[in-house]
Amino acid sequence: MGELVSKTLPGFFNGVSQQAVNMRLDTQAELQENALGTIVDGLYKRPPTEHVAVLNSNAGPDAFVHTINRDAVERYKVLLLDDETNPVEVYRISDGTKCTIRYGHLDADLNFTADSSVKDYLTTGITKPKVDFRAITIADYTIIANLNVVTAKTSATASGSVRKTVQSFLDLPIDDESLLDYDSGKTYDTGDRVKYPSTKGIYECIKDGTSGVAPTNTNNWKFERDYPAIGDIFRIKGEAVGESLDDYFMKYTSDEVYQETIKPGAEYELDADTMPHRLVRTDVNEFTFAPVLWEDRVVGDDDSVPFPSFIGKPIVNLEFFRNRLGFFSKDTVFFSKAGDYFNLFAETALDLLDDDPIDLLASGTSVVNLRSSIPFDKNLLILSDQEQFSFGNSGTNLTPTTATLTNTTKYRTSPNSNPVAAGANVYFINPRERYSSLMEYTIVPDSLVEDAADITSHCPNYIPNGNIQLLSCVPMDMIFAFSDEEPDTIFVYKYYWVGNQKPQSAWCKFIFDGTIIGTGIIDTDLFLIIKRNNQICLERMTLENIVTNTDFDFRVHLDRQTKVQGNYDSETNTTTWTLPYTEDGGVEVVGVNPVTQLPLTGLERNGDTVTTTGDYSNGDITFGINYTMRYRLSEWYIKDSNKIAILSSKLQIRTLTLSYVNTGYFRIEITPENRDTLTHEYTGVMLGISFLNKAPLRSGETSFPVLAKSKYTNIDIVSDSYMPCQFSSGALEGYHIVRANII
């Protein structure tokens, strides 16, 4: 016989580890699916989803999904599809109402003119919408960029011609409003002054009695100076002799007023058909997709007020930072005028103003392909394929003269995954050969150096490559990663900071019975657009560990949860419920009676209807589908005083003890290698204790026999019930047999 040994499991909150089992923490697991662990609440079954609506949608798994959080009442999901007829769908998040979409043009007062050709921007070059689109919402405008459309300017040119070139502003001609035009029938005396429209000059009479002689006759008249006519354009050479970089143009607009203008013959207009478009809420449950009314270039020329440097290239992402709308294109960072998001030109060629657009070139040791960005440490962290840049200001305000773009770190990033922020950190995807790492970008304490740590280092083969969407829920200290390589799974990272220490850094999976199309976070709710049984459904998961169905004393753990009142047929003695969705394909629908808090029996399902014998029409029944929680304990190793595993020994587990809280059901599945699974159930029902019209929820401790070798034996905590289960700690007990003396 060996010695009797035991091991305390202090918690189940540090998620999955793919390290060698003898190197894992006691709080880590081999597998964790549909279970969430926290330091406060311990391990419990993941929150269920609540059914919101079946969407009348044509969306496929490649749809681009964007969330509009307009206010506490109006929140929407925008879907961009590979559909030439209906490329945009918008749904209210509260109830799934499908909004009307109009396609056309909006003027400055939002007056609408229908034009179906604007759909071309949403269909050009589209193969996979979730890859081909980017969007950002600013107030009531959602700006959408098609990454396949090359931006351009039109061929329209400014009218007029340059009347004269002068050296400085002081050399511009001045009008004299007191003078009249020359009259050939009038006799003039010496000293009289007139305007002569033919030459736009002012002349002085030098010979008395002059009449019928044009002022250009120098025998009778003396030229004094030019005068401007309304609409005349003059070129000002500026200070640099022989250079045109500081030239500018002035137009005479009214009496004694010059206004800076554009060079005659210069192109001035952005091609709105190739620029990002806007989706505007124009009425209740109505959106309009239209081109943006981009401001024209109104001053200067290509040297003094150039077009944005991204013209001729596609837009790869959009950003809103410091009250400016930003555009990324390959290696170019461009931001609009401050507070004037659709004005991409400088206001004057005479000076560089603080609110003028900002246009910078990103350069690094490798080829730069900018992809995404996120505010970080008062600046903007910009990610390219292989490097990261910090965009910000060297002074108090962000201006064209203070803006800087500095290379900070070198990490490979995913081109189709935007980063997310949580607290003081930024998270982004670092793709590898088959799997992806999640990097935690932060400022190293005491050094002020920006760096990134791989928070998937203990489970490197966990998140598959693909188009990965990241979401952050800051109040819950959670990061979500959704990869289209596993479309039924959301990878969850749960963390907890205490100062500069992180006692929890846990990974797990939420697995769903369906294909996830898109996700989104609002407050502490995770919204899912998921395809189930050929229906596109909108579902909500409240991440807080609280009771969401007030008909019960506990949280009902059923996905697609909905409350339905039944119709009783006295002739057949049956009650029928019509569900708001259809469940087929062998998925069991569960109905729980809030009066007894127990499931109904004998349910028969046919599409969206459920029937059973008896009268249950007095009140709502909660329906949904079960999902399975599974938590697999790490293999138990005996370690010596140096915390090193003793390999030359045999460990036979006798019992597993679990400490549980407010638990109604779970089971332990013990599967030794090449042997059948042994199952032990906990139901909460105890001899001599009655739970009348109340779910049997209890707290305490219970032990289960294992009677198997620690090595090659899987011990799983499983729950596929609507009842809750929650575990705070545990213990293992067994016999340890040492085969040889340790020297």
Side-chain angles (χ1 to χ4, degrees):
M1 289 289 290
E3 63 175 332
L4 185 64
V5 293
S6 65
K7 175 183 180 179
T8 299
L9 303 175
F12 308 97
F13 54 80
N14 261 322
V16 172
S17 173
Q18 294 177 335
Q19 296 170 286
V21 291
N22 59 338
M23 298 175 62
R24 296 176 187 170
L25 301 175
D26 292 339
T27 53
Q28 291 179 323
E30 176 75 24
L31 178 147
Q32 183 174 325
E33 296 175 349
N34 288 332
L36 188 61
T38 70
I39 290 179
V40 175
D41 294 327
L43 180 74
Y44 57 91
K45 195 171 184 179
R46 73 147 167 88
T49 66
E50 303 167 49
H51 175 78
V52 177
V54 174
L55 305 182
N56 180 22
S57 174
N58 296 318
D62 292 330
F64 175 86
V65 180
H66 176 72
T67 302
I68 297 177
N69 187 3
R70 187 170 184 265
D71 53 41
V73 176
E74 290 195 62
R75 293 163 171 171
Y76 303 91
K77 280 291 184 183
V78 178
L79 281 70
L80 301 182
L81 316 177
D82 186 9
D83 185 333
E84 293 184 358
T85 304
N86 299 299
V88 180
E89 295 179 350
V90 179
Y91 300 90
R92 290 182 73 105
I93 287 179
S94 59
D95 57 9
T97 298
K98 189 172 186 177
C99 299
T100 300
I101 307 297
R102 303 187 303 176
Y103 298 91
H105 299 271
L106 295 172
D107 64 14
D109 297 321
L110 298 184
N111 296 311
F112 175 70
T113 303
D115 183 358
S116 61
S117 68
V118 301
K119 297 179 186 179
D120 293 346
Y121 185 78
L122 296 172
T123 58
T124 300
I126 301 301
T127 57
K128 185 177 286 190
K130 67 169 55 178
V131 173
D132 296 328
F133 288 112
R134 296 292 183 269
I136 188 171
T137 297
I138 306 172
D140 270 342
Y141 280 29
T142 296
I143 311 302
I144 298 172
N146 181 342
L147 278 58
N148 299 300
V149 175
V150 176
T151 58
K153 52 189 176 181
T154 71
S155 58
T157 56
S159 61
S161 59
V162 175
R163 175 183 164 188
K164 187 177 182 180
T165 299
V166 298
Q167 187 62 42
S168 71
F169 183 83
L170 296 177
D171 296 327
L172 289 172
I174 302 174
D175 196 6
D176 188 338
E177 297 180 4
S178 65
L179 300 181
L180 299 176
D181 289 345
Y182 168 72
D183 184 350
S184 61
K186 181 178 178 180
T187 299
Y188 293 93
D189 298 326
T190 300
D192 290 343
R193 299 168 64 239
V194 297
K195 295 179 181 179
Y196 189 43
S198 297
T199 61
K200 295 184 180 178
I202 296 177
Y203 295 82
E204 179 183 352
C205 183
I206 57 175
K207 184 177 180 181
D208 287 343
T210 297
S211 64
V213 179
T216 53
N217 186 324
T218 56
N219 293 324
N220 298 71
W221 298 90
K222 180 180 72 175
F223 173 76
E224 180 179 307
R225 57 182 168 84
D226 289 329
Y227 75 89
I230 292 180
D232 282 349
I233 297 174
F234 297 85
R235 181 173 188 163
I236 316 299
K237 289 292 293 181
E239 297 178 359
V241 178
E243 297 288 342
S244 61
L245 295 178
D246 61 347
D247 289 5
Y248 61 98
F249 301 84
M250 303 296 291
K251 177 188 285 189
Y252 191 72
T253 59
S254 62
D255 294 343
E256 299 184 6
V257 175
Y258 277 97
Q259 180 177 318
E260 189 178 359
T261 189
I262 189 171
K263 175 184 178 181
E267 296 169 322
Y268 63 87
E269 185 179 48
L270 294 168
D271 186 352
D273 292 339
T274 67
M275 293 288 289
H277 284 43
R278 53 181 169 164
L279 184 67
V280 186
R281 179 195 174 276
T282 45
D283 205 344
V284 177
N285 296 333
E286 178 190 87
F287 283 79
T288 300
F289 182 78
V292 172
L293 299 178
W294 302 99
E295 297 288 342
D296 293 335
R297 178 169 67 174
V298 295
V299 298
D301 56 18
D302 290 339
D303 292 326
S304 58
V305 183
F307 276 84
S309 58
F310 63 73
I311 294 299
K313 296 179 284 187
I315 301 294
V316 299
N317 218 326
L318 302 166
E319 183 58 85
F320 184 71
F321 183 66
R322 301 280 188 90
N323 204 27
R324 297 174 183 263
L325 177 61
F327 307 80
F328 302 149
S329 181
K330 190 172 171 53
D331 55 357
T332 297
V333 176
F334 186 93
F335 281 85
S336 70
K337 282 179 63 70
D340 193 357
Y341 314 134
F342 305 139
N343 192 344
L344 311 186
F345 294 103
E347 183 178 329
T348 176
L350 301 175
D351 197 4
L352 194 60
L353 305 181
D354 286 352
D355 65 345
D356 275 348
I358 299 171
D359 199 342
L360 296 176
L361 180 70
S363 59
T365 57
S366 58
V367 176
V368 176
N369 288 303
L370 302 179
R371 299 295 185 181
S372 56
S373 62
I374 193 167
F376 174 72
D377 189 33
K378 300 179 183 179
N379 288 335
L380 189 69
L381 177 66
I382 302 177
L383 285 71
S384 72
D385 286 345
Q386 302 180 66
E387 301 180 58
Q388 290 72 51
F389 299 85
S390 178
F391 171 79
N393 58 298
S394 58
T396 304
N397 299 316
L398 181 64
T399 71
T401 55
T402 63
T404 59
L405 188 60
T406 308
N407 183 286
T408 56
T409 51
K410 297 181 183 295
Y411 293 100
R412 187 183 175 196
T413 63
S414 172
N416 298 317
S417 175
N418 282 344
V420 296
N425 301 326
V426 165
Y427 298 83
F428 63 87
I429 291 294
N430 172 224
R432 293 178 280 111
E433 186 66 27
R434 293 180 56 193
Y435 294 89
S436 292
S437 298
L438 185 65
M439 308 299 291
E440 185 176 67
Y441 197 89
T442 187
I443 296 178
V444 180
D446 303 324
S447 70
L448 300 181
V449 175
E450 297 175 9
D451 200 1
D454 181 0
I455 57 176
T456 49
S457 58
H458 59 290
C459 46
N461 301 328
Y462 202 61
I463 305 175
N465 280 338
N467 300 304
I468 299 176
Q469 179 188 11
L470 294 179
L471 298 170
S472 169
C473 183
V474 176
M476 299 299 296
D477 293 337
M478 297 173 74
I479 304 293
F480 300 90
F482 164 57
S483 171
D484 56 6
E485 290 295 311
E486 288 191 26
D488 64 345
T489 301
I490 292 180
F491 299 87
V492 183
Y493 178 63
K494 183 73 175 72
Y495 61 91
Y496 183 73
W497 286 98
V498 179
N500 292 328
Q501 302 298 316
K502 193 195 290 186
Q504 183 183 26
S505 180
W507 281 100
C508 65
K509 294 180 180 181
F510 288 177
I511 302 176
F512 302 87
D513 180 34
T515 300
I516 301 170
I517 294 174
T519 59
I521 290 280
I522 295 180
D523 301 329
T524 56
D525 290 338
L526 172 66
F527 287 89
L528 302 172
I529 296 178
I530 183 169
K531 186 175 183 179
R532 302 181 189 259
N533 302 322
N534 295 318
Q535 292 182 322
I536 308 298
C537 299
L538 175 62
E539 300 179 23
R540 175 178 55 245
M541 177 188 290
T542 299
L543 298 171
E544 294 178 87
N545 190 21
I546 59 175
V547 175
T548 53
N549 188 340
T550 56
D551 293 341
F552 292 84
D553 298 330
F554 57 92
R555 191 166 197 176
V556 178
H557 288 271
L558 295 174
D559 274 350
R560 309 197 74 182
Q561 198 170 135
T562 184
K563 295 194 292 185
V564 183
Q565 185 168 11
N567 294 315
Y568 176 65
D569 186 340
S570 58
E571 293 184 3
T572 60
N573 188 31
T574 58
T575 304
T576 301
W577 296 268
T578 300
L579 304 181
Y581 52 79
T582 300
E583 269 297 352
D584 293 318
V587 177
E588 180 185 4
V589 173
V590 178
V592 185
N593 189 341
V595 177
T596 63
Q597 306 212 356
L598 297 173
L600 301 177
T601 58
L603 294 180
E604 295 183 4
R605 174 172 48 85
N606 183 12
D608 63 351
T609 61
V610 179
T611 306
T612 193
T613 301
D615 184 2
Y616 297 96
S617 60
N618 186 20
D620 292 336
I621 299 295
T622 294
F623 288 92
I625 61 174
N626 277 324
Y627 58 98
T628 301
M629 161 192 160
R630 185 174 295 274
Y631 183 91
R632 180 169 297 164
L633 275 62
S634 290
E635 183 181 332
W636 179 16
Y637 269 87
I638 298 296
K639 299 181 180 180
D640 61 19
S641 59
N642 294 319
K643 304 297 182 182
I644 299 175
I646 301 174
L647 303 179
S648 59
S649 64
K650 176 182 177 181
L651 180 59
Q652 186 87 6
I653 303 177
R654 292 182 59 194
T655 60
L656 166 67
T657 301
L658 292 176
S659 177
Y660 55 88
V661 179
N662 293 326
T663 295
Y665 175 85
F666 67 93
R667 64 178 181 270
I668 303 298
E669 293 183 355
I670 302 165
T671 310
E673 186 180 33
N674 298 323
R675 291 171 57 188
D676 294 335
T677 298
L678 179 65
T679 301
H680 304 288
E681 283 192 332
Y682 171 84
T683 62
V685 178
M686 300 186 67
L687 186 64
I689 299 178
S690 174
F691 292 90
L692 184 61
N693 294 340
K694 185 177 181 182
L697 302 185
R698 293 189 59 81
S699 300
E701 295 180 354
T702 189
S703 297
F704 303 92
V706 178
L707 306 177
K709 294 180 181 179
S710 174
K711 198 171 186 63
Y712 308 126
T713 297
N714 292 331
I715 303 175
D716 293 358
I717 304 172
V718 182
S719 175
D720 55 7
S721 168
Y722 72 97
M723 302 285 288
C725 59
Q726 185 174 330
F727 308 94
S728 57
S729 60
L732 292 166
E733 184 180 274
Y735 282 109
H736 182 225
I737 302 171
V738 180
R739 298 196 188 102
N741 292 328
I742 301 174
I743 60 174

